[in-house]
């Protein structure tokens, strides 16, 4: 987006549905044999800057997140961690309505009804990255992993205080601006977040170039965050402090 959210790789999924579970789509639920749910990971796909059209399961941006769901699930072998995706009502952000943020909040409420109040890590791509960063104001959200996020100038960061924020952005992204992402990380760090950034060399917006690197890095990052959930989700690594981005 570089100020806008237009991209085919960002267009995404979910049929217009209603009902108590409209926003949360479980991908791995915790079973009776695994004990109580310890934490949860919710994955958010991208979208458009403006669109009231319903999102559909076959849209490209939602499909693109399937390997990330698999990577995160593989990286979290313990079955006491819930993994799910957020369904959007609409394809667009839609200005002040910030529709996907409302969807994330609804998914968090549904998650609490399903497994109780547990610490949550949000993983979001592009528009979903922006939605994840906004939704981190919810007290149960302890960390955000934002992949090539859409970070317009002036995006708020004060609510990220005491949260863990990790941004991965490809240096060949022509849809969302890596410099804007890294600037947000610096501002979040100054606001009291444990924020860090990683530049994926040769990475594009759709995360197709060096796809395995994107998948592995996301899975291992989420696993590290979940492993530290009982200790407050402190800094994942001293390699990527909130100054200059690290490199993959």
């Amino acid at each position: 987006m570089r100020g806008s959210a237009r991209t085919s790789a960002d267009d995404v999924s979910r049929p217009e549905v209603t009902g108590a579970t409209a926003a949360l789509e479980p991908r791995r639920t915790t079973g009776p044999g695994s004990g109580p749910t310890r934490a949860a990971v919710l994955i958010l796909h991208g979208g458009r800057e403006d669109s009231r059209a319903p999102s559909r399961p076959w849209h490209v941006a939602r499909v693109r997140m399937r390997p990330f769901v698999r990577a995160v699930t593989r990286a979290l072998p313990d079955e006491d961690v819930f993994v799910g995706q957020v369904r959007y009502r609409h394809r667009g952000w839609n200005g002040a309505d910030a529709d996907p943020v409302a969807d994330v909040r609804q998914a968090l409420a549904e998650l609490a009804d399903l497994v109780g109040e547990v610490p949550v890590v949000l993983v979001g791509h592009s528009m979903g990255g922006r939605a994840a960063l906004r939704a981190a104001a919810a007290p149960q959200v302890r960390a955000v992993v934002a992949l090539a996020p859409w970070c317009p100038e002036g995006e708020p960061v004060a609510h990220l205080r005491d949260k863990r924020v990790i941004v991965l952005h490809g240096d060949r992204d022509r849809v969302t601006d890596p410099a804007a992402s890294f600037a947000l990380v610096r501002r979040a760090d100054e606001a009291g977040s444990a924020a860090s950034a990683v530049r994926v060399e040769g990475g594009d917006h759709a995360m197709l170039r060096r796809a395995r690197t994107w998948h592995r890095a996301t899975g291992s990052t989420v696993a590290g965050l979940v492993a530290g959930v009982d200790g407050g989700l402190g800094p994942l690594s001293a390699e990527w402090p909130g100054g200059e981005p690290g490199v993959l």
Side-chain angles (χ1 to χ4, degrees), residues 53-175:
S55 59
R56 302 293 188 187
W58 55 83
H59 289 155
V60 175
R62 182 173 176 82
V63 172
R64 180 64 189 95
M65 298 311 289
R66 289 176 184 169
F68 288 92
V69 173
R70 291 193 293 269
V72 167
T73 303
R74 282 197 300 266
L76 296 168
D78 295 335
E79 293 187 356
D80 58 357
V81 180
F82 176 99
V83 179
Q85 288 184 273
V86 176
R87 294 170 171 167
Y88 302 149
R89 292 161 297 148
H90 308 299
R91 298 181 80 173
W93 180 272
N94 300 321
D97 288 344
D99 283 322
V101 181
D103 295 329
V104 180
R105 290 170 179 158
Q106 178 62 30
L108 290 170
E110 293 169 13
L111 176 69
D113 288 342
L114 187 63
V115 303
E117 294 286 350
V118 298
V120 177
V121 177
L122 297 178
V123 180
H125 173 232
S126 194
M127 185 188 79
R130 185 183 183 187
L133 289 163
R134 284 280 189 98
Q140 65 268 49
V141 177
R142 305 287 294 281
V144 173
V145 180
L147 310 173
W150 174 29
C151 298
E153 186 176 354
E155 191 70 10
V157 297
H159 65 286
L160 297 172
R161 181 178 180 84
D162 298 326
K163 309 279 185 173
R164 189 72 177 94
V165 174
I166 301 175
V167 171
L168 287 78
H169 213 131
D171 59 7
R172 295 189 182 181
D173 196 324
R174 299 296 180 263
V175 179

Side-chain angles (χ1 to χ4, degrees), residues 179-198:
S181 289
F182 301 150
L184 181 139
V185 166
R186 288 190 290 271
R187 291 194 297 114
D189 187 67
E190 291 167 0
S193 168
S196 54
V198 182

Side-chain angles (χ1 to χ4, degrees), residues 121 143-145 164 166 220-230 233-234 236:
V121 177
V144 173
V145 180
R164 189 72 177 94
I166 301 175
S220 63
T221 297
V222 171
L225 291 168
V226 170
V229 77
D230 296 325
L233 288 178
L236 179 66

